[in-house]
Amino acid sequence: MSVADITEAQFADEVLLSPVPVVVDYWADWCSPCKQLSPIIDELAREYEGRVKFVKVDTSAEAGLAAQQGILSLPTLQFYKAGRVEKSLSGGKSKNALKKVLDELI
């Protein structure tokens, strides 16, 4: 499963109305920690396929959405369940740290 980039116009349908928990990865192409986190997110998307949806928001292209969501640093991951942010993490994280959060979410 690939991790889709979404826009502000898609946010409500893809994240807030999703029947499964959603991880939103806020990133930018100039952000080194974002680039390090990206393959981990891709691996987790495959491992949790069908149980958790993963999407990415390019904060350079979607600055308004990032501001609306209160994103102050990159990378930031928001974990949504039933349309609400259950947890938010900023900075680089290990795969095991993210799996722990995901397992609590589902």
Coordinates of all heavy atoms in Angstrom, one line a residue:
M1 N 0.8 -1.2 0.0 CA 0.0 0.0 0.0 C 0.9 1.2 0.0 O 1.8 1.4 0.8 CB -0.9 0.0 1.2 CG -1.6 1.3 1.5 SD -2.6 1.2 3.0 CE -4.1 1.8 2.4
S2 N 0.7 2.1 -0.9 CA 1.4 3.4 -1.0 C 0.7 4.4 -0.1 O -0.5 4.4 0.1 CB 1.6 3.9 -2.4 OG 0.3 4.2 -2.9
V3 N 1.5 5.3 0.4 CA 1.0 6.4 1.2 C 0.7 7.6 0.4 O 1.6 8.1 -0.3 CB 2.1 6.8 2.3 CG1 1.5 7.9 3.2 CG2 2.4 5.5 3.1
A4 N -0.6 8.0 0.3 CA -1.0 9.0 -0.6 C -0.8 10.4 0.0 O -1.0 10.6 1.2 CB -2.5 8.8 -0.9
D5 N -0.4 11.3 -0.9 CA -0.3 12.7 -0.5 C -1.7 13.3 -0.6 O -2.4 13.0 -1.6 CB 0.6 13.5 -1.5 CG 2.0 13.6 -1.0 OD1 2.2 14.2 0.1 OD2 2.9 13.0 -1.6
I6 N -2.2 14.0 0.4 CA -3.5 14.6 0.3 C -3.5 16.1 0.4 O -2.5 16.7 0.9 CB -4.5 14.0 1.4 CG1 -4.0 14.3 2.8 CG2 -4.7 12.5 1.2 CD1 -5.0 14.1 3.9
T7 N -4.5 16.7 0.0 CA -4.6 18.2 0.0 C -5.7 18.6 1.0 O -6.4 17.8 1.6 CB -5.1 18.7 -1.4 OG1 -6.4 18.2 -1.6 CG2 -4.1 18.3 -2.5
E8 N -5.8 19.9 1.3 CA -6.7 20.4 2.2 C -8.2 20.0 1.8 O -9.0 19.7 2.6 CB -6.6 21.9 2.3 CG -7.5 22.6 3.4 CD -7.2 24.0 3.6 OE1 -6.3 24.6 3.0 OE2 -7.9 24.6 4.4
A9 N -8.4 20.0 0.5 CA -9.7 19.6 0.0 C -10.1 18.2 0.3 O -11.3 17.8 0.4 CB -9.8 19.9 -1.6
Q10 N -9.1 17.3 0.4 CA -9.3 15.9 0.6 C -9.3 15.5 2.1 O -9.7 14.4 2.5 CB -8.2 15.1 -0.1 CG -8.2 15.2 -1.6 CD -6.9 14.6 -2.2 OE1 -5.8 15.1 -1.8 NE2 -7.0 13.6 -3.0
F11 N -8.9 16.4 2.9 CA -8.6 16.1 4.3 C -9.8 15.6 5.1 O -9.7 14.5 5.7 CB -8.0 17.4 5.1 CG -7.5 17.1 6.4 CD1 -6.2 16.6 6.5 CD2 -8.2 17.3 7.6 CE1 -5.6 16.3 7.8 CE2 -7.7 17.0 8.8 CZ -6.4 16.5 8.9
A12 N -10.9 16.2 5.0 CA -12.1 15.7 5.7 C -12.5 14.3 5.3 O -12.7 13.5 6.1 CB -13.3 16.7 5.5
D13 N -12.6 14.1 4.0 CA -13.0 12.7 3.5 C -11.9 11.7 3.9 O -12.3 10.6 4.3 CB -13.2 12.7 2.0 CG -14.4 13.4 1.6 OD1 -15.3 13.6 2.4 OD2 -14.5 13.8 0.4
E14 N -10.6 12.0 3.7 CA -9.6 11.0 3.9 C -9.2 10.7 5.3 O -8.8 9.6 5.7 CB -8.3 11.4 3.1 CG -8.5 11.4 1.6 CD -8.6 10.0 1.0 OE1 -8.1 9.0 1.6 OE2 -9.3 9.8 0.0
V15 N -9.4 11.8 6.2 CA -8.9 11.7 7.6 C -10.1 11.7 8.5 O -10.3 10.8 9.3 CB -7.9 12.8 7.9 CG1 -7.5 12.8 9.3 CG2 -6.7 12.7 6.9
L16 N -10.9 12.8 8.5 CA -11.9 13.0 9.5 C -13.0 12.0 9.4 O -13.6 11.6 10.4 CB -12.4 14.4 9.5 CG -11.4 15.5 9.6 CD1 -12.1 16.9 9.5 CD2 -10.6 15.4 11.0
L17 N -13.4 11.6 8.2 CA -14.5 10.6 8.0 C -14.1 9.2 7.8 O -14.9 8.3 7.5 CB -15.3 11.1 6.8 CG -15.9 12.5 6.9 CD1 -16.6 12.9 5.7 CD2 -16.9 12.6 8.1
S18 N -12.8 8.9 8.0 CA -12.3 7.6 7.7 C -12.8 6.6 8.8 O -12.9 6.9 10.0 CB -10.7 7.5 7.8 OG -10.3 6.2 7.7
P19 N -13.3 5.4 8.3 CA -13.8 4.4 9.2 C -12.7 3.7 10.0 O -12.9 3.0 11.0 CB -14.5 3.4 8.3 CG -13.8 3.5 7.0 CD -13.4 5.0 6.9
V20 N -11.4 3.8 9.6 CA -10.3 3.3 10.3 C -9.4 4.4 10.8 O -9.4 5.5 10.3 CB -9.4 2.3 9.4 CG1 -10.3 1.1 9.0 CG2 -8.9 3.0 8.2
P21 N -8.6 4.1 11.8 CA -7.6 5.2 12.3 C -6.7 5.6 11.2 O -6.4 4.9 10.2 CB -6.8 4.4 13.4 CG -7.7 3.3 13.9 CD -8.5 2.9 12.7
V22 N -6.3 6.9 11.3 CA -5.5 7.5 10.2 C -4.2 8.1 10.8 O -4.3 8.8 11.9 CB -6.2 8.6 9.4 CG1 -5.4 9.2 8.3 CG2 -7.5 8.1 8.9
V23 N -3.1 7.9 10.2 CA -1.8 8.6 10.6 C -1.6 9.6 9.5 O -1.5 9.3 8.3 CB -0.6 7.6 10.7 CG1 0.6 8.4 11.0 CG2 -0.9 6.6 11.7
V24 N -1.5 10.9 9.9 CA -1.1 12.0 8.9 C 0.3 12.4 9.2 O 0.7 12.8 10.3 CB -2.1 13.2 9.1 CG1 -1.8 14.2 8.1 CG2 -3.5 12.8 9.1
D25 N 1.1 12.3 8.1 CA 2.5 12.6 8.2 C 2.7 14.0 7.5 O 2.5 14.1 6.3 CB 3.3 11.5 7.4 CG 4.8 11.8 7.3 OD1 5.3 12.8 8.0 OD2 5.5 11.2 6.5
Y26 N 3.0 15.0 8.3 CA 3.3 16.3 7.8 C 4.7 16.4 7.5 O 5.6 16.2 8.4 CB 2.8 17.4 8.8 CG 1.3 17.4 9.1 CD1 0.8 16.6 10.1 CD2 0.5 18.2 8.3 CE1 -0.6 16.6 10.3 CE2 -0.9 18.2 8.5 CZ -1.4 17.4 9.5 OH -2.8 17.4 9.7
W27 N 5.1 16.8 6.3 CA 6.5 16.8 5.9 C 6.8 17.9 4.9 O 5.9 18.6 4.4 CB 6.8 15.4 5.2 CG 6.1 15.3 3.9 CD1 4.8 14.9 3.7 CD2 6.6 15.5 2.6 NE1 4.5 14.9 2.4 CE2 5.6 15.2 1.7 CE3 7.9 15.8 2.1 CZ2 5.7 15.4 0.3 CZ3 8.0 16.0 0.7 CH2 7.0 15.7 -0.2
A28 N 8.1 18.1 4.5 CA 8.5 19.0 3.5 C 9.7 18.4 2.8 O 10.5 17.7 3.5 CB 8.7 20.4 4.1
D29 N 9.9 18.7 1.6 CA 11.1 18.2 0.9 C 12.4 18.7 1.4 O 13.5 18.0 1.1 CB 11.0 18.3 -0.7 CG 10.8 19.7 -1.1 OD1 11.0 20.7 -0.3 OD2 10.7 20.0 -2.3
W30 N 12.5 19.8 2.1 CA 13.7 20.3 2.6 C 14.1 19.8 4.0 O 15.1 20.1 4.5 CB 13.7 21.9 2.7 CG 12.4 22.4 3.3 CD1 11.3 22.8 2.7 CD2 12.2 22.5 4.7 NE1 10.3 23.2 3.7 CE2 10.9 23.0 4.9 CE3 12.9 22.2 5.9 CZ2 10.3 23.2 6.2 CZ3 12.3 22.4 7.1 CH2 11.0 22.9 7.3
C31 N 13.2 18.9 4.5 CA 13.3 18.5 5.9 C 14.0 17.1 5.9 O 13.4 16.1 5.5 CB 11.9 18.4 6.5 SG 11.8 17.5 8.0
S32 N 15.3 17.1 6.4 CA 16.0 15.8 6.5 C 15.4 14.8 7.4 O 15.3 13.6 7.0 CB 17.5 16.1 7.0 OG 18.2 16.8 6.0
P33 N 14.9 15.1 8.6 CA 14.3 14.1 9.4 C 13.0 13.5 8.7 O 12.7 12.3 8.9 CB 13.9 14.8 10.7 CG 14.9 15.9 10.8 CD 15.1 16.3 9.4
C34 N 12.3 14.3 7.9 CA 11.2 13.8 7.2 C 11.6 12.8 6.2 O 10.9 11.7 6.1 CB 10.5 15.0 6.4 SG 9.9 16.3 7.4
K35 N 12.7 13.0 5.6 CA 13.2 12.0 4.6 C 13.6 10.7 5.3 O 13.4 9.6 4.7 CB 14.3 12.6 3.8 CG 13.9 13.7 2.9 CD 15.1 14.3 2.1 CE 14.6 15.5 1.3 NZ 15.7 16.2 0.7
Q36 N 14.1 10.8 6.5 CA 14.5 9.6 7.2 C 13.3 8.8 7.7 O 13.3 7.6 7.8 CB 15.4 10.0 8.4 CG 16.7 10.5 8.0 CD 17.5 11.2 9.2 OE1 16.9 11.5 10.2 NE2 18.8 11.4 9.0
L37 N 12.2 9.6 8.0 CA 11.0 8.9 8.5 C 10.2 8.3 7.4 O 9.5 7.3 7.7 CB 10.2 10.0 9.3 CG 8.9 9.5 10.0 CD1 9.3 8.6 11.1 CD2 8.2 10.7 10.6
S38 N 10.3 8.8 6.2 CA 9.4 8.3 5.1 C 9.5 6.8 4.9 O 8.4 6.2 4.7 CB 9.8 9.1 3.8 OG 8.9 8.8 2.8
P39 N 10.6 6.2 4.8 CA 10.6 4.7 4.6 C 10.0 3.9 5.7 O 9.4 2.9 5.5 CB 12.1 4.4 4.4 CG 12.9 5.5 4.7 CD 12.0 6.7 4.8
I40 N 10.1 4.5 6.9 CA 9.5 3.8 8.1 C 8.0 3.9 8.0 O 7.3 2.9 8.2 CB 10.0 4.5 9.4 CG1 11.5 4.3 9.6 CG2 9.2 4.0 10.6 CD1 12.1 5.0 10.8
I41 N 7.5 5.1 7.6 CA 6.0 5.2 7.3 C 5.5 4.2 6.3 O 4.5 3.6 6.4 CB 5.7 6.7 7.0 CG1 6.0 7.6 8.1 CG2 4.2 6.8 6.5 CD1 5.2 7.4 9.4
D42 N 6.3 4.1 5.2 CA 5.9 3.2 4.1 C 5.9 1.8 4.6 O 4.9 1.0 4.2 CB 6.9 3.3 2.9 CG 6.8 4.7 2.2 OD1 5.8 5.3 2.3 OD2 7.8 5.0 1.5
E43 N 6.8 1.4 5.4 CA 6.8 0.0 6.0 C 5.6 -0.2 6.9 O 5.0 -1.3 6.8 CB 8.1 -0.2 6.8 CG 9.4 -0.5 6.0 CD 10.6 -0.6 7.0 OE1 10.4 -1.2 8.1 OE2 11.7 -0.2 6.6
L44 N 5.3 0.7 7.7 CA 4.2 0.6 8.6 C 2.9 0.6 7.9 O 2.0 -0.2 8.2 CB 4.2 1.8 9.6 CG 5.3 1.7 10.7 CD1 5.4 3.0 11.5 CD2 5.2 0.5 11.6
A45 N 2.8 1.3 6.8 CA 1.6 1.3 6.0 C 1.3 -0.1 5.4 O 0.2 -0.5 5.4 CB 1.7 2.3 4.8
R46 N 2.4 -0.8 5.0 CA 2.2 -2.2 4.5 C 1.9 -3.1 5.7 O 1.0 -3.9 5.5 CB 3.5 -2.6 3.9 CG 3.8 -2.0 2.5 CD 4.9 -2.7 1.7 NE 6.2 -2.5 2.4 CZ 7.0 -1.4 2.2 NH1 6.6 -0.5 1.4 NH2 8.1 -1.4 2.8
E47 N 2.5 -2.9 6.8 CA 2.3 -3.8 8.0 C 0.8 -3.7 8.5 O 0.3 -4.6 9.0 CB 3.3 -3.6 9.1 CG 4.7 -4.1 8.8 CD 5.7 -3.9 9.9 OE1 5.3 -3.9 11.1 OE2 6.8 -3.7 9.6
Y48 N 0.3 -2.5 8.5 CA -1.0 -2.2 9.1 C -2.1 -2.0 8.1 O -3.2 -1.5 8.4 CB -0.9 -0.9 10.0 CG -0.1 -1.2 11.3 CD1 1.2 -1.1 11.4 CD2 -0.8 -1.5 12.5 CE1 1.9 -1.3 12.6 CE2 -0.2 -1.7 13.7 CZ 1.2 -1.6 13.7 OH 1.9 -1.9 14.9
E49 N -1.8 -2.4 6.9 CA -2.8 -2.3 5.8 C -4.1 -2.9 6.2 O -4.2 -4.0 6.7 CB -2.3 -3.0 4.5 CG -3.2 -2.7 3.3 CD -2.5 -3.2 2.0 OE1 -1.4 -3.7 2.0 OE2 -3.2 -3.0 1.0
G50 N -5.2 -2.1 5.9 CA -6.5 -2.6 6.3 C -7.0 -2.2 7.7 O -8.1 -2.2 8.0
R51 N -6.0 -1.9 8.6 CA -6.3 -1.6 9.9 C -6.1 -0.1 10.2 O -6.7 0.5 11.1 CB -5.4 -2.4 10.9 CG -5.8 -3.9 10.8 CD -4.9 -4.7 11.8 NE -3.5 -4.7 11.4 CZ -2.5 -4.9 12.2 NH1 -2.8 -5.2 13.5 NH2 -1.3 -4.9 11.8
V52 N -5.1 0.5 9.5 CA -4.7 1.9 9.7 C -4.5 2.5 8.3 O -3.8 1.9 7.5 CB -3.5 2.1 10.6 CG1 -3.1 3.6 10.8 CG2 -3.7 1.5 12.0
K53 N -5.0 3.7 8.1 CA -4.7 4.4 6.8 C -3.5 5.4 7.1 O -3.5 6.1 8.1 CB -5.9 5.2 6.4 CG -5.7 5.9 5.0 CD -6.8 6.9 4.7 CE -8.2 6.3 4.6 NZ -9.2 7.2 4.1
F54 N -2.6 5.5 6.2 CA -1.5 6.5 6.2 C -1.6 7.5 5.1 O -1.8 7.0 3.9 CB -0.2 5.7 6.2 CG 0.2 4.9 7.4 CD1 -0.4 3.7 7.6 CD2 1.1 5.4 8.3 CE1 -0.1 2.9 8.7 CE2 1.4 4.6 9.4 CZ 0.8 3.3 9.6
V55 N -1.5 8.7 5.4 CA -1.5 9.8 4.4 C -0.4 10.8 4.7 O 0.0 10.9 5.9 CB -2.9 10.5 4.3 CG1 -4.0 9.6 3.8 CG2 -3.3 11.2 5.6
K56 N 0.0 11.5 3.7 CA 1.0 12.5 3.9 C 0.5 13.9 3.4 O -0.3 14.0 2.5 CB 2.3 12.2 3.0 CG 3.0 11.0 3.4 CD 4.2 10.7 2.5 CE 5.0 9.5 3.0 NZ 6.3 9.8 3.5
V57 N 1.0 14.9 4.1 CA 0.6 16.3 3.8 C 1.9 17.1 3.5 O 2.8 17.2 4.5 CB -0.2 17.0 4.9 CG1 -0.4 18.5 4.5 CG2 -1.6 16.3 5.0
D58 N 2.1 17.5 2.3 CA 3.3 18.3 2.0 C 3.0 19.7 2.5 O 2.2 20.5 1.9 CB 3.5 18.3 0.5 CG 4.7 19.2 0.0 OD1 5.3 19.9 0.8 OD2 5.1 19.1 -1.2
T59 N 3.7 20.1 3.5 CA 3.4 21.4 4.2 C 3.9 22.6 3.3 O 3.4 23.7 3.5 CB 4.1 21.5 5.6 OG1 5.5 21.3 5.5 CG2 3.5 20.5 6.5
S60 N 4.8 22.4 2.4 CA 5.1 23.5 1.4 C 4.0 23.8 0.5 O 3.7 24.9 0.2 CB 6.4 23.1 0.6 OG 7.5 22.9 1.5
A61 N 3.3 22.7 0.0 CA 2.2 22.9 -0.9 C 0.9 23.2 -0.1 O 0.0 23.8 -0.7 CB 2.0 21.6 -1.7
E62 N 0.8 22.7 1.1 CA -0.5 22.8 1.9 C -0.2 23.6 3.2 O -0.6 23.1 4.3 CB -1.0 21.4 2.2 CG -1.4 20.6 0.9 CD -2.6 21.2 0.2 OE1 -3.5 21.9 0.8 OE2 -2.7 21.1 -1.0
A63 N 0.4 24.8 3.1 CA 0.7 25.6 4.2 C -0.5 25.9 5.1 O -0.5 25.9 6.3 CB 1.5 26.8 3.8
G64 N -1.6 26.2 4.4 CA -2.9 26.5 5.1 C -3.4 25.4 5.9 O -3.8 25.6 7.1
L65 N -3.3 24.2 5.4 CA -3.8 23.0 6.2 C -2.9 22.8 7.4 O -3.4 22.5 8.5 CB -3.8 21.8 5.3 CG -4.2 20.5 5.9 CD1 -5.5 20.5 6.6 CD2 -4.2 19.3 4.9
A66 N -1.6 22.9 7.1 CA -0.6 22.7 8.2 C -0.9 23.7 9.4 O -0.9 23.4 10.5 CB 0.8 22.8 7.7
A67 N -1.1 25.0 9.0 CA -1.4 26.0 10.0 C -2.7 25.7 10.7 O -2.8 25.9 11.9 CB -1.5 27.4 9.3
Q68 N -3.7 25.3 9.9 CA -5.0 25.0 10.5 C -4.9 23.9 11.5 O -5.6 23.9 12.6 CB -5.9 24.6 9.4 CG -7.3 24.2 9.7 CD -8.1 23.7 8.4 OE1 -7.8 24.2 7.3 NE2 -9.0 22.8 8.6
Q69 N -4.0 22.9 11.3 CA -3.8 21.8 12.2 C -2.8 22.1 13.3 O -2.5 21.2 14.1 CB -3.4 20.6 11.4 CG -4.5 20.1 10.5 CD -5.7 19.6 11.2 OE1 -5.7 19.0 12.2 NE2 -6.9 20.0 10.7
G70 N -2.2 23.3 13.3 CA -1.3 23.7 14.4 C 0.0 23.0 14.3 O 0.7 22.8 15.3
I71 N 0.5 22.7 13.1 CA 1.8 22.1 12.8 C 2.9 23.1 13.0 O 2.9 24.1 12.2 CB 1.8 21.4 11.5 CG1 0.7 20.4 11.3 CG2 3.2 20.7 11.3 CD1 0.6 19.3 12.4
L72 N 3.7 23.0 14.0 CA 4.8 24.0 14.2 C 6.2 23.4 13.9 O 7.1 24.2 13.8 CB 4.7 24.4 15.7 CG 3.4 25.1 16.1 CD1 3.4 25.3 17.6 CD2 3.1 26.3 15.3
S73 N 6.3 22.1 13.8 CA 7.7 21.6 13.5 C 7.5 20.3 12.6 O 6.4 19.7 12.6 CB 8.4 21.2 14.8 OG 7.7 20.2 15.5
L74 N 8.6 20.0 11.9 CA 8.5 18.8 11.0 C 9.6 17.9 11.4 O 10.7 18.3 11.8 CB 8.7 19.3 9.6 CG 7.6 20.2 9.0 CD1 7.9 20.7 7.6 CD2 6.3 19.5 9.0
P75 N 9.4 16.6 11.1 CA 8.1 16.0 10.8 C 7.2 16.0 12.0 O 7.6 15.9 13.1 CB 8.4 14.6 10.3 CG 9.7 14.3 11.1 CD 10.4 15.6 11.3
T76 N 5.9 16.0 11.7 CA 4.9 15.8 12.8 C 3.9 14.7 12.3 O 3.5 14.7 11.1 CB 4.1 17.1 13.0 OG1 4.9 18.1 13.7 CG2 2.9 16.8 14.0
L77 N 3.6 13.8 13.2 CA 2.6 12.8 12.9 C 1.4 13.0 13.8 O 1.6 13.2 15.0 CB 3.2 11.4 13.2 CG 4.4 10.9 12.3 CD1 4.9 9.6 12.8 CD2 4.1 10.9 10.9
Q78 N 0.3 13.0 13.2 CA -1.0 13.0 13.9 C -1.7 11.7 13.8 O -1.8 11.2 12.7 CB -1.9 14.2 13.5 CG -1.4 15.6 13.9 CD -2.4 16.6 13.4 OE1 -3.1 16.5 12.4 NE2 -2.4 17.7 14.2
F79 N -2.2 11.2 14.9 CA -2.9 9.9 14.9 C -4.3 10.2 15.2 O -4.7 10.6 16.3 CB -2.3 9.0 16.0 CG -0.8 8.6 15.8 CD1 0.2 9.5 16.1 CD2 -0.5 7.4 15.2 CE1 1.5 9.2 15.9 CE2 0.8 7.1 15.0 CZ 1.8 8.0 15.3
Y80 N -5.2 10.0 14.2 CA -6.6 10.2 14.2 C -7.4 8.9 14.5 O -7.1 7.9 13.9 CB -7.1 10.8 12.9 CG -6.8 12.3 12.8 CD1 -5.6 12.8 12.3 CD2 -7.8 13.2 13.1 CE1 -5.4 14.1 12.2 CE2 -7.6 14.6 12.9 CZ -6.4 15.0 12.4 OH -6.1 16.4 12.3
K81 N -8.4 9.1 15.3 CA -9.4 8.0 15.4 C -10.8 8.6 15.6 O -10.9 9.5 16.4 CB -9.0 7.1 16.7 CG -9.9 5.9 16.8 CD -9.3 5.0 17.9 CE -10.0 3.7 18.0 NZ -9.5 2.8 19.0
A82 N -11.7 8.2 14.8 CA -13.1 8.7 14.8 C -13.1 10.2 14.6 O -13.8 10.9 15.2 CB -13.8 8.3 16.0
G83 N -12.2 10.7 13.7 CA -12.2 12.1 13.4 C -11.5 13.0 14.4 O -11.5 14.2 14.2
R84 N -10.9 12.5 15.4 CA -10.2 13.3 16.4 C -8.7 12.9 16.5 O -8.4 11.7 16.4 CB -10.9 13.0 17.8 CG -12.3 13.6 17.9 CD -12.8 13.6 19.3 NE -11.9 13.4 20.4 CZ -11.9 12.4 21.2 NH1 -12.7 11.4 21.1 NH2 -11.0 12.4 22.2
V85 N -7.9 13.9 16.8 CA -6.5 13.6 17.1 C -6.4 12.9 18.4 O -6.7 13.5 19.5 CB -5.6 14.9 17.1 CG1 -4.2 14.6 17.4 CG2 -5.7 15.6 15.7
E86 N -5.9 11.7 18.4 CA -5.6 11.0 19.7 C -4.2 11.2 20.2 O -4.0 11.2 21.4 CB -5.8 9.5 19.4 CG -7.3 9.1 19.1 CD -8.2 9.2 20.2 OE1 -7.9 8.9 21.4 OE2 -9.4 9.7 20.0
K87 N -3.3 11.4 19.3 CA -1.9 11.6 19.7 C -1.2 12.4 18.6 O -1.6 12.3 17.4 CB -1.2 10.3 19.9 CG 0.1 10.4 20.6 CD 0.5 9.0 21.2 CE 1.8 9.1 21.9 NZ 1.7 9.5 23.3
S88 N -0.2 13.1 18.9 CA 0.6 13.9 18.0 C 2.1 13.7 18.4 O 2.4 13.9 19.6 CB 0.2 15.3 18.0 OG 0.9 16.0 16.9
L89 N 3.0 13.4 17.4 CA 4.4 13.3 17.7 C 5.2 14.2 16.7 O 4.9 14.2 15.5 CB 4.8 11.8 17.5 CG 4.2 10.7 18.3 CD1 4.6 9.4 17.9 CD2 4.5 10.9 19.8
S90 N 6.2 14.8 17.2 CA 7.1 15.6 16.4 C 8.5 15.1 16.4 O 8.9 14.6 17.5 CB 7.0 17.1 16.9 OG 5.8 17.6 16.7
G91 N 9.2 15.3 15.3 CA 10.6 14.9 15.2 C 10.7 13.4 14.8 O 9.7 12.7 14.6
G92 N 11.9 13.0 14.5 CA 12.2 11.7 14.1 C 11.8 10.6 15.2 O 12.1 10.9 16.4
K93 N 11.3 9.5 14.8 CA 10.9 8.5 15.7 C 11.3 7.1 15.2 O 11.4 7.0 13.9 CB 9.4 8.5 16.0 CG 8.8 9.7 16.5 CD 9.2 9.9 18.0 CE 8.6 11.2 18.5 NZ 9.6 12.0 19.2
S94 N 11.6 6.2 16.0 CA 11.9 4.8 15.6 C 10.6 4.1 15.2 O 9.5 4.4 15.6 CB 12.6 4.1 16.7 OG 11.7 3.7 17.7
K95 N 10.8 3.0 14.4 CA 9.7 2.2 14.0 C 9.0 1.6 15.2 O 7.8 1.6 15.2 CB 10.2 1.1 13.0 CG 9.1 0.3 12.4 CD 9.6 -0.7 11.4 CE 8.6 -1.6 10.9 NZ 9.1 -2.7 10.0
N96 N 9.8 1.1 16.1 CA 9.2 0.5 17.3 C 8.4 1.5 18.1 O 7.3 1.2 18.7 CB 10.3 -0.1 18.2 CG 10.8 -1.4 17.6 OD1 10.1 -2.0 16.8 ND2 12.0 -1.8 18.0
A97 N 8.8 2.8 18.2 CA 8.1 3.8 19.0 C 6.8 4.0 18.3 O 5.7 4.2 18.9 CB 8.9 5.1 19.1
L98 N 6.8 4.1 16.9 CA 5.5 4.3 16.2 C 4.6 3.1 16.3 O 3.4 3.3 16.4 CB 5.9 4.6 14.7 CG 6.6 5.9 14.5 CD1 6.9 6.1 13.1 CD2 5.9 7.1 15.1
K99 N 5.2 1.9 16.3 CA 4.3 0.7 16.4 C 3.6 0.7 17.7 O 2.4 0.3 17.8 CB 5.2 -0.6 16.2 CG 5.5 -0.8 14.8 CD 6.4 -2.1 14.7 CE 5.4 -3.3 14.7 NZ 6.0 -4.5 14.0
K100 N 4.3 1.1 18.8 CA 3.7 1.2 20.1 C 2.4 2.1 20.1 O 1.4 1.7 20.6 CB 4.7 1.7 21.1 CG 4.2 1.6 22.5 CD 5.4 1.9 23.5 CE 5.0 1.7 24.9 NZ 4.7 3.0 25.6
V101 N 2.6 3.2 19.5 CA 1.4 4.2 19.4 C 0.3 3.6 18.6 O -0.9 3.6 18.9 CB 1.9 5.5 18.8 CG1 0.7 6.5 18.6 CG2 2.9 6.2 19.7
L102 N 0.7 3.0 17.4 CA -0.3 2.4 16.5 C -1.1 1.3 17.2 O -2.3 1.1 17.1 CB 0.3 1.9 15.3 CG 0.8 2.9 14.3 CD1 1.7 2.3 13.2 CD2 -0.4 3.6 13.6
D103 N -0.4 0.4 18.0 CA -1.0 -0.7 18.6 C -2.0 -0.2 19.7 O -3.0 -0.9 20.0 CB 0.0 -1.7 19.2 CG 0.8 -2.4 18.1 OD1 0.3 -2.5 17.0 OD2 1.9 -2.9 18.4
E104 N -1.7 0.9 20.3 CA -2.6 1.5 21.3 C -3.8 2.1 20.6 O -4.9 2.1 21.2 CB -1.9 2.6 22.1 CG -0.8 2.1 23.1 CD 0.0 3.2 23.7 OE1 -0.3 4.4 23.5 OE2 1.0 2.9 24.4
L105 N -3.6 2.6 19.4 CA -4.7 3.2 18.6 C -5.7 2.3 18.1 O -6.9 2.6 18.1 CB -4.1 4.0 17.5 CG -4.9 5.0 16.7 CD1 -5.3 6.2 17.6 CD2 -4.1 5.5 15.5
I106 N -5.3 1.1 17.7 CA -6.3 0.1 17.1 C -6.8 -0.9 18.0 O -6.7 -1.0 19.1 CB -5.6 -0.6 15.8 CG1 -4.3 -1.3 16.2 CG2 -5.4 0.4 14.7 CD1 -3.7 -2.1 15.1

